[in-house]
Amino acid sequence: MGALRELKKRFSEALRGFVDEPETYLNQLRRSGAPQFGDYQANLAMPLAKQLRKSPQEVARTLLDRVKLDDLCQSVNVAGPGFINLRLHDRWLAEELAHAVVDPRLGVPQVAEPRTCVVDYSAPNIAKPMHVGHIRSTVIGDCLCRMLRFVGHRVISDNHIGDWGTQFGMLIYGWRHFADPIAYQRDPLAELGRIYRHVNQLAEQDPQVAQKVLEETARLHAGDPENVALWREFVPRCLAELDALYRRLGVQFDYTLGESFYHDRLPDLVDELLQRGIARESEGAICIFLDGFEAPMIIRKKDGAFLYATTDLATLVYRVNTWHPDCILYVVDHRQSLHFRQLFTAANLLGYKALQLEHVSFGTILGEDGRPFRTRAGDTVALEDLLEEAVRRAREVVDANDDAKPDGPELSEVDRARVAEVVGIGALKYADLSQNRTSDYVFSFDKMLAMTGNTGTYMQYAYARVRSIFAKAGLNADSLRQEGAAILLTTPEERALALELTRFDEAIELALTDWRPNQLTAYLFDLANKYSAFYENCPVLKAESPALRQSRLLLCDLTARTIQKGLELLGIGVVEKM
Ligand code: ARG
């Protein structure tokens, strides 16, 4: 189960009957910031001392008298103003790993109380090609789904695509005025893309065109048969393009219920909100006035049109009634934070008080010039082009690496192409997931494909390197696991690696605490570094004894599986050779 979880359990038992609300102190237990003093530290004596009006040292000592740690910790001591330093028993670590070795879940337990989580992510406005701005939501959302599922929650992923907005007004207007039917027949998406860009540009320069676009959109919303027919013609084309991208990214959704799905529900929703006194009329518009906000949330404009907020309210009601979630995550960029704060406040008025609503927001991807990432010509970068470029550059890395192998290249042409795809897409995803999600970050192909440092390429390389030991020795890792054996921790490097291996569970929990995949990438990077130190200092195949060799092979195997599983939770693949 992981040391931190076990320590929390022990301390919570010790705190019971000692203080009120013991749970509030447990997050003072954490991984040690100074490994020379211990593996974990408990900083709860200070806050407890305040509550109990005693000295922290005294509280720490009383606490240590009450907590049962002898089977878990080798040494426990109180330092400075009452920090408790805890060092785990080697025996405990070894036993923990012996379990993890034969456990398909690698020692990560399932949650005791599974929750139902809806995850709203990706959600591009279709009709224009997906661009670089869509990476973050897609990749972060997918990773959160994977982690939540792995620990045992029920996850519903829902792609709330924008399939009903002005972008369709543009296509419809453009279709009527500038369509090239032959080009459309040849390549519908390219032609739609051209029309979209053309009209978008015109509308920016010419208010009359912008007006016409709005009128076409309004006609679509009013059910005008011709506009609806055109919409029906265009939507599947746009979806096909999206699907191809998602397939390449390895991202899947349980549902794709876009804005259009909710259109028919909006009038009734507004009526209901009026009836319940949650919304009221103001200057011809229907508004929800929310405490703590300057402006009300408008849900129907004076001209009768509904808004983004109206659709999101209808979506929320639908999700609650359909899936009964405990939690809904909205993985959407930080510019929409006001919208979500309003939406969540409105949800409270609707009576959804127990529902956890989270805006998992994120920053902008910047170019090397520190401005939002764009092409040289100043256009947004199409996601497809970005993937192509990542894979093309990954291919260069793979070629160079394979050509430089001391015994000559190992990979066929087909292998190289397959590896480049996994490495290129992996690098792109990892570069995003390893960022603090709330910050902006600078996009750089060179950095993300570097073979050293905290990159996806380095992690994939670390995996392949571990696996090559088994290939070299002609060993089957599966049968090794079944044989089992004692884990022997004879050197500091073995111990450090072992400790890191027991922390996988902790890393996932940390990543899920406030939805930060970079907690998982940081963990994997630490693990790979601990492995490197181990590998440099501890001969594996040439270990001094058969028992030590077996133990070290098991450490290698568990490292490889943990990296593989960790990358899988990030949505990233591995290769056996690269
Ligand atoms: N389509 C929206 C956009 O591109 C994002 C939708 C996010 N999800 C939501 N429920 N509002 O800005």
Side-chain angles (χ1 to χ4, degrees):
M1 95 151 53
L4 190 58
R5 211 181 272 271
E6 188 65 44
L7 283 168
K8 284 189 177 169
K9 205 171 99 194
R10 306 281 179 102
F11 272 91
S12 118
E13 281 160 13
L15 286 168
R16 225 170 288 147
F18 186 55
V19 281
D20 304 332
E21 299 185 51
E23 307 305 316
T24 52
Y25 296 94
L26 295 180
N27 58 4
Q28 298 294 337
L29 274 156
R30 54 182 81 126
R31 170 168 220 215
S32 172
Q36 66 273 30
F37 297 128
D39 303 325
Y40 288 87
Q41 63 190 49
N43 300 346
L44 31 67
M46 284 73 81
L48 274 171
K50 232 183 232 157
Q51 204 206 328
L52 301 169
R53 296 171 195 279
K54 288 194 183 131
S55 85
Q57 284 92 345
E58 195 186 335
V59 171
R61 273 189 301 274
T62 321
L63 203 57
L64 289 181
D65 286 340
R66 297 173 65 102
V67 65
K68 182 185 171 315
L69 294 173
D70 43 339
D71 58 325
L72 184 61
C73 295
Q74 185 169 313
S75 71
V76 178
N77 59 61
V78 182
F83 295 108
I84 302 174
N85 290 318
L86 304 149
R87 187 177 162 88
L88 301 171
H89 265 305
D90 289 2
R91 193 176 356 105
W92 187 86
L93 283 174
E95 268 166 29
E96 189 75 1
L97 290 190
H99 287 138
V101 160
V102 290
D103 178 6
R105 300 185 53 82
L106 307 167
V108 180
Q110 306 242 24
V111 288
E113 286 162 29
R115 306 174 78 211
T116 299
C117 306
V118 173
V119 187
D120 177 322
Y121 67 103
S122 196
N125 294 332
I126 62 170
K128 41 187 174 185
M130 274 235 258
H131 58 80
V132 59
H134 295 117
I135 292 184
R136 298 208 80 180
S137 174
T138 307
V139 166
I140 296 170
D142 180 52
C143 171
L144 295 178
C145 289
R146 287 166 184 265
M147 290 194 291
L148 286 166
R149 280 202 185 102
F150 181 57
V151 299
H153 295 295
R154 175 171 174 245
V155 175
I156 292 146
S157 58
D158 185 10
N159 191 0
H160 189 70
I161 53 174
D163 59 357
W164 198 241
T166 32
Q167 68 272 30
F168 282 96
M170 291 199 191
L171 283 187
I172 292 167
Y173 175 81
W175 181 261
R176 297 235 163 88
H177 293 84
F178 316 106
D180 175 347
I182 294 171
Y184 185 75
Q185 234 171 22
R186 215 181 312 121
D187 184 349
L189 267 172
E191 175 61 4
L192 289 181
R194 186 191 67 82
I195 294 177
Y196 177 82
R197 280 189 301 274
H198 184 59
V199 176
N200 194 26
Q201 224 167 35
L202 282 184
E204 266 169 29
Q205 293 153 3
D206 183 348
Q208 266 177 337
V209 173
Q211 183 55 32
K212 289 268 186 282
V213 165
L214 289 183
E215 283 165 18
E216 294 295 8
T217 313
R219 237 173 265 146
L220 169 68
H221 291 174
D224 172 88
E226 273 178 43
N227 281 15
V228 170
L230 283 175
W231 179 82
R232 290 226 167 90
E233 162 69 26
F234 299 149
V235 167
R237 313 267 179 197
C238 303
L239 287 179
E241 188 202 24
L242 272 190
D243 277 346
L245 272 169
Y246 288 138
R247 220 170 305 129
R248 196 161 182 197
L249 285 169
V251 172
Q252 277 170 338
F253 296 92
D254 299 318
Y255 297 91
T256 298
L257 301 179
E259 292 174 3
S260 66
F261 178 79
Y262 298 98
H263 182 68
D264 292 344
R265 298 166 191 264
L266 304 185
D268 286 352
L269 174 71
V270 172
D271 285 346
E272 190 200 319
L273 293 175
L274 277 169
Q275 261 167 30
R276 289 173 60 186
I278 295 172
R280 64 182 159 84
E281 205 214 286
S282 167
E283 295 171 39
I286 308 296
C287 304
I288 305 181
F289 287 87
L290 301 165
D291 279 345
F293 293 89
E294 251 168 58
M297 183 176 194
I298 303 176
I299 56 174
R300 195 173 73 202
K301 288 201 276 192
K302 210 167 158 173
D303 64 7
F306 301 107
L307 297 95
Y308 185 55
T310 327
T311 307
D312 249 331
L313 274 174
T315 307
L316 184 67
V317 173
Y318 177 84
R319 287 172 175 166
V320 170
N321 292 339
T322 312
W323 299 310
H324 314 289
D326 301 294
C327 150
I328 306 179
L329 304 181
Y330 295 84
V331 189
V332 184
D333 80 76
H334 67 99
R335 288 169 304 178
Q336 295 193 25
S337 76
L338 175 64
H339 165 72
F340 285 109
R341 273 189 286 129
Q342 290 190 323
L343 181 68
F344 299 167
T345 311
N348 207 36
L349 290 180
L350 260 67
Y352 302 145
K353 302 217 192 279
L355 178 63
Q356 181 190 359
L357 295 167
E358 299 265 4
H359 176 202
V360 180
S361 89
F362 52 82
T364 309
I365 303 184
L366 306 175
E368 313 240 9
D369 59 359
R371 316 244 312 262
F373 188 46
R374 291 185 171 270
T375 61
R376 283 229 179 86
D379 298 323
T380 51
V381 180
L383 189 51
E384 199 181 350
D385 297 343
L386 202 72
L387 298 187
E388 273 307 318
E389 179 76 0
V391 171
R392 190 186 66 71
R393 293 190 188 223
R395 177 62 196 260
E396 286 171 10
V397 173
V398 171
D399 284 347
N401 195 46
D402 198 38
D403 287 339
K405 284 183 184 152
D407 303 328
E410 287 184 293
L411 302 174
S412 68
E413 172 61 29
V414 178
D415 285 339
R416 285 185 178 198
R418 185 180 48 83
V419 171
E421 178 79 17
V422 179
V423 170
I425 307 280
L428 202 65
K429 288 186 172 188
Y430 195 98
D432 199 298
L433 294 167
S434 58
Q435 305 295 325
N436 179 349
R437 73 171 156 75
T438 45
S439 329
D440 299 345
Y441 77 90
V442 174
F443 187 93
S444 156
F445 277 120
D446 289 333
K447 273 196 206 137
M448 72 174 68
L449 283 161
M451 297 277 283
T452 54
N454 189 13
T455 67
T457 312
Y458 171 69
M459 290 310 310
Q460 286 167 326
Y461 185 61
Y463 172 81
R465 226 169 35 148
V466 188
R467 295 288 301 153
S468 72
I469 296 177
F470 292 87
K472 199 160 97 192
L475 282 170
N476 178 337
D478 284 335
S479 46
L480 184 83
R481 261 168 247 152
Q482 276 147 25
E483 284 166 38
I487 300 287
L488 307 172
L489 304 177
T490 61
T491 62
E493 289 83 10
E494 281 167 304
R495 189 184 188 280
L497 176 60
L499 176 63
E500 207 60 40
L501 284 167
T502 62
R503 290 189 51 238
F504 189 35
D505 168 35
E506 218 174 290
I508 296 171
E509 187 166 300
L510 218 52
L512 285 176
T513 306
D514 54 0
W515 324 110
R516 293 190 183 275
N518 66 324
Q519 296 280 8
L520 182 54
T521 58
Y523 166 74
L524 292 175
F525 185 52
D526 277 350
L527 176 64
N529 287 334
K530 298 277 155 48
Y531 178 79
S532 285
F534 157 82
Y535 190 70
E536 271 162 37
N537 290 286
C538 308
V540 177
L541 295 175
K542 294 193 178 127
E544 296 99 86
S545 70
L548 195 56
R549 176 181 138 114
Q550 178 78 359
S551 163
R552 288 183 177 166
L553 280 168
L554 287 172
L555 286 178
C556 291
D557 177 50
L558 194 56
T559 302
R561 287 162 68 208
T562 306
I563 295 178
Q564 177 176 29
K565 189 68 191 181
L567 288 176
E568 183 191 311
L569 295 178
L570 298 168
I572 297 172
V574 292
V575 290
E576 295 295 310
K577 284 182 191 160
M578 66 184 271

